[in-house]
Amino acid sequence: MMARDDSRPLAAFLALVAAVKLLVILAAGPGVSPDTGGYLEFADAILKGWDAVTTVPWGTDTGLPSLVFRTAGYPLLLAGAKLLAGAHYQYVVAAVQSALTLLSMLMIFRVSRALLASDAAAWFVGVFYLFSQSLLYDVEILSDSLYATLFNVVLFGTLGGLTGVWRLGGGRMALFGLLWGYSILVRENGLYFTVLPVLLLACGGRRAALLIPVFLAAVAAVLAPYLLWNWHRTGEAFISVAGAANWLRPGFHMLRFGYANPFDGDDPVSQLVRQGMPDYEFGAQVTILEALQRQLGLTPTRLQSYLFGRFVATVSEHPVAYLKMVLTQLRPFSLGSVLTDPAFTLNEFFQYGPVLGQRVLPGVSLKGAVAVFRDFSLGGMAGLLLATAGVVVSTVLFLVFALGVPWWSVRVLRGRAPADARFGAALFGWVTFFTVVGAFCLVHFEMRHALPAIPLALLGMAAVIREGRAKPSIA
């Protein structure tokens, strides 16, 4: 399936993306969050030189040192921006992130247009992604935007090669492997998603399957030196110790939701939680981890392994509560909003972005509606109606995607629909979205974690809609 020759829709789409990204940078400027500080500390160490970045406090009373808690992928970008622009580095970072998103959107639009054979469908995928969380995170000094770009360049690049949009040889697959390896150094949890490009290649036929070793060798070529570098710095080979700060979170979620109390025992973790956990926020968790490390006499990596064992024990002792916690984090209404609700995106942008610090539209809830009617105004009522319409439409579209792909799969298995490239893309988009979201829900899920998987979910959604219009019969 080859891409169509008319480049005008693509040019118009890229012009829209560039205009929106430039407007956001100029009007709102870059933003920071509580997580930004850790990346900046690593970036500053890089700029100070080799000794600063290789000297890591390591022992049984060091806490989780920032130079091994974060990986170096994103701090390298920050260090380069600081070297280039000094005090104005944030604008350089926002511009680079926006430009890289533009590059990924070029690939997303071309592959969507070729697979769905429709300019309208490609615009559907592209515009909803443009006005998704990428609007916020492209200007935030956080790793989300860069990771999402690398994720989508590799997956859409591979998908485009398998469907004839461009050639997919060993050299290009090696490049994708290097980019995927670097993406893991931007966000370490990306390591778990390496199954996705491998699955895509495995389903692409014999020739594509032969590229799997090339891809994995390139990924290893990036990660192996980093493992050795950490061994040089600490005496232990690992990527990061960020997991140590996450493995207790499921237990805290169960406790906060009222599903179970995994901390009612006599083990060291339970005792520390009962003694010094005023809330379940991240800062209090870090304090507990530091106290636990000193009490048990563990290095950061051994502390991470200990806490993973504690996580496994929590799941095995409270399986029903754990399952309820996972399902609670899924939040299907919010997942629909993440994909196709610009009102949700605007609220998130103004609440968490560099301007205002509060929502511009009322929340869709009984409490929000009561507040609007209590302080009645036409603007408030219009905002409530707009937000409600966004939730309703996005939820319907999400259900079309979430249920439509399994329905389509049944039709294919029964021989009532062809297992063509369009179906394959929809199925892969479905698997990717629920793999990414589901993996985070197993531990701790925030809406921004879904950002990398949004374009493939939108591609699957558009494919289901086109299939439904072409095949109205459910038989």
Side-chain angles (χ1 to χ4, degrees):
M1 183 181 300
M2 298 299 295
R4 296 158 66 186
D5 293 334
D6 188 359
S7 61
R8 286 174 296 180
L10 175 61
F13 173 70
L14 294 180
L16 173 65
V17 174
V20 170
K21 297 298 182 185
L22 183 60
L23 178 63
V24 171
I25 292 174
L26 294 178
V32 297
S33 83
D35 287 347
T36 302
Y39 294 116
L40 289 176
E41 186 177 346
F42 203 142
D44 290 338
I46 293 172
L47 293 174
K48 289 177 182 176
W50 179 254
D51 289 341
V53 82
T54 55
T55 303
V56 178
W58 193 258
T60 60
D61 60 352
T62 58
L64 303 175
S66 61
L67 295 182
V68 290
F69 183 76
R70 302 292 183 190
T71 45
Y74 193 64
L76 282 171
L77 171 62
L78 299 183
K82 283 192 164 193
L83 195 62
L84 180 66
H88 303 291
Y89 75 94
Q90 293 183 358
Y91 283 91
V92 173
V93 173
V96 169
Q97 290 177 169
S98 298
L100 291 175
T101 296
L102 177 69
L103 171 64
S104 71
M105 285 185 165
L106 183 154
M107 301 177 72
I108 290 166
F109 190 92
R110 286 192 62 189
V111 172
S112 300
R113 190 174 182 229
L115 278 169
L116 304 178
S118 165
D119 290 336
W123 277 93
F124 174 91
V125 175
V127 169
F128 272 119
Y129 185 50
L130 171 61
F131 291 103
S132 73
Q133 292 178 313
S134 73
L135 201 66
L136 169 61
Y137 289 106
D138 280 354
V139 296
E140 287 286 300
I141 310 303
L142 288 172
S143 61
D144 299 80
S145 171
L146 179 58
Y147 178 73
T149 291
L150 295 167
F151 184 95
N152 283 300
V153 164
V154 173
L155 292 185
F156 273 90
T158 304
L159 188 59
L162 295 178
T163 53
V165 180
W166 41 67
R167 292 179 57 83
L168 187 66
R172 182 166 287 180
M173 209 63 234
L175 174 61
F176 288 161
L178 294 175
L179 292 176
W180 193 267
Y182 177 64
S183 78
I184 295 170
L185 299 185
V186 173
R187 297 197 69 164
E188 184 201 357
N189 47 42
L191 178 66
Y192 305 113
F193 302 134
T194 305
V195 65
L196 294 171
V198 171
L199 176 64
L200 187 56
L201 289 170
C203 295
R206 181 174 178 275
R207 181 175 174 275
L210 292 175
L211 295 175
I212 293 176
V214 176
F215 175 78
L216 292 178
V219 173
V222 176
L223 298 184
Y226 200 82
L227 290 169
L228 290 174
W229 186 49
N230 273 342
W231 177 79
H232 169 74
R233 295 195 294 172
T234 68
E236 299 184 47
F238 60 95
I239 295 178
S240 86
V241 294
N246 291 313
W247 293 124
L248 289 180
R249 286 192 169 191
F252 293 134
H253 289 327
M254 290 184 210
L255 190 56
R256 185 170 64 248
F257 296 150
Y259 298 151
N261 182 4
F263 305 109
D264 58 357
D266 295 326
D267 60 287
V269 174
S270 297
Q271 293 179 23
L272 286 170
V273 168
R274 291 198 301 269
Q275 293 169 8
M277 197 75 180
D279 55 45
Y280 307 114
E281 298 303 322
F282 185 72
Q285 294 178 38
V286 171
T287 301
I288 292 293
L289 295 178
E290 292 172 349
L292 184 65
Q293 183 191 32
R294 290 191 297 269
Q295 180 176 330
L296 298 179
L298 300 174
T299 64
T301 50
R302 296 185 185 279
L303 176 65
Q304 182 169 243
S305 298
Y306 174 84
L307 292 171
F308 176 73
R310 185 63 168 74
F311 162 73
V312 173
T314 296
V315 174
S316 61
E317 292 168 7
H318 305 278
V320 175
Y322 177 69
L323 179 60
K324 290 171 67 177
M325 184 276 297
V326 172
L327 295 176
T328 298
Q329 291 200 98
L330 277 172
R331 293 177 288 181
F333 290 107
S334 296
L335 288 178
S337 294
V338 164
L339 293 175
T340 55
D341 185 358
F344 171 87
T345 300
L346 285 175
N347 264 342
E348 190 172 60
F349 179 83
F350 285 109
Q351 184 174 6
Y352 300 112
V355 293
L356 288 188
Q358 63 183 22
R359 294 182 173 190
V360 293
L361 296 173
V364 182
S365 64
L366 180 59
K367 182 179 178 181
V370 169
V372 168
F373 282 105
R374 184 180 61 241
D375 303 319
F376 184 82
S377 70
L378 290 179
M381 180 58 68
L384 178 62
L385 291 175
L386 178 62
T388 302
V391 169
V392 171
V393 173
S394 64
T395 300
V396 170
L397 289 174
F398 176 73
L399 292 175
V400 166
F401 168 63
L403 303 179
V405 173
W407 161 74
W408 195 352
S409 301
V410 170
R411 296 186 73 247
V412 170
L413 290 174
R414 294 174 62 185
R416 297 182 180 276
D420 55 13
R422 187 183 300 173
F423 165 72
L427 182 60
F428 183 67
W430 193 93
V431 169
T432 297
F433 184 76
F434 286 106
T435 295
V436 170
V437 172
F440 279 107
C441 285
L442 294 176
V443 181
H444 172 70
F445 177 63
E446 300 174 20
M447 286 301 161
R448 64 191 178 100
H449 294 151
L451 177 62
I454 289 176
L456 277 164
L458 291 171
L459 175 63
M461 186 183 293
V464 170
I465 293 171
R466 284 185 60 77
E467 176 69 9
R469 292 177 62 188
K471 303 283 196 309
S473 173
I474 302 179

